[in-house]
Amino acid sequence: SAVISQKPSRDICQRGTSLTIQCQVDSQVTMMFWYRQQPGQSLTLIATANQGSEATYESGFVIDKFPISRPNLTFSTLTVSNMSPEDSSIYLCSVGGWVVGYTFGSGTRLTVV
Amino acid sequence: SQQGEEDPQALSIQEGENATMNCSYKTSINNLQWYRQNSGRGLVHLILIRSNEREKHSGRLRVTLDTSKKSSSLLITASRAADTASYFCATDRGGGADGLTFGKGTHLIIQP
């Protein structure tokens, strides 16, 4: 299965600023997924990123708040923009498919103060 | 809406005992997967069971699936301290859409 390198692993940010999270995969993949895990909660899919097209966002998530880039088949970034304390969460990227299962990055623990 | 609901939300047992976690879901699925998360880090894929399978084993893990009841269970036998983690069930989103819908998770604590 694919190996994902996600960074940063954690960050503490001031409200109103933005943070960009990077995920690098060791093989080419068609789709990459971004999830949010709020404190003590489960994971929620933010968006699906395909190379060469705009990301597809789930209900409740918008591009202005969570812009995603997918410049090639092994790399993607998620930016959390204009942060507020409510954005404090763990953000995870993932690759795979429903047939074989998914691999996840190690997560980015974001704290907004 | 929340697809999966794990039960119990928290479970504490003695090392060596068996741990059973349950998951229910609402819509039809192609498969159901279980993941482990240690200390709020990344998720590790444990096992995938397809909708036409009823039971699957992997090492000390046993998963069952009852599509008529829309439920699944994860059994960890002979638990170890290293099994302490949060366990999530997840289902595909149906209609060919990729990505997962996760349950709320069970936090398992193995007492040494």
Side-chain angles (χ1 to χ4, degrees), chain B residues 16-88:
Chain B
E17 294 179 338
N18 295 342
T20 299
M21 290 160 270
N22 302 298
C23 165
S24 62
Y25 57 92
K26 294 183 173 64
T27 63
S28 62
I29 61 172
N30 291 301
N31 61 49
L32 185 144
Q33 305 172 40
W34 285 89
Y35 290 84
R36 184 185 73 224
Q37 184 179 40
N38 291 85
S39 302
R41 300 293 292 167
L43 272 69
V44 174
H45 181 259
L46 295 176
I47 197 165
L48 180 153
I49 186 166
R50 304 192 190 287
S51 59
N52 61 354
E53 297 176 309
R54 291 298 166 257
E55 186 171 312
K56 200 162 184 180
H57 296 254
S58 177
R60 293 184 297 112
L61 305 180
R62 172 177 169 259
V63 170
T64 63
L65 180 64
D66 187 336
T67 53
S68 67
K69 295 181 180 178
K70 291 187 168 58
S71 66
S72 173
S73 68
L74 171 67
L75 168 68
I76 303 174
T77 61
S79 63
R80 307 166 181 169
D83 295 329
T84 294
S86 291
Y87 292 83
F88 295 92

Side-chain angles (χ1 to χ4, degrees), chain A residues 13-56:
Chain A
C13 300
Q14 296 291 323
R15 68 178 67 201
T17 63
S18 298
L19 175 71
T20 296
I21 302 166
Q22 301 179 1
C23 275
Q24 177 76 51
V25 190
D26 69 344
S27 58
Q28 293 185 339
V29 294
T30 304
M31 287 182 287
M32 294 182 72
F33 305 90
W34 288 96
Y35 291 84
R36 180 179 72 183
Q37 185 179 26
Q38 294 176 299
Q41 302 297 313
S42 186
L43 284 77
T44 301
L45 181 64
I46 297 173
T48 302
N50 290 322
Q51 194 270 334
S53 63
E54 286 212 359
T56 301

Side-chain angles (χ1 to χ4, degrees), chain A residues 11-19 36 38-39 64-66 79-91 109-113:
Chain A
D11 207 342
I12 301 173
C13 300
Q14 296 291 323
R15 68 178 67 201
T17 63
S18 298
L19 175 71
R36 180 179 72 183
Q38 294 176 299
D64 290 346
K65 177 67 176 177
F66 298 101
T79 299
V80 186
S81 302
N82 188 24
M83 290 183 286
S84 66
E86 292 70 34
D87 294 319
S88 297
S89 297
I90 298 172
Y91 293 85
R109 184 182 293 270
L110 170 62
T111 302
V112 184
V113 297

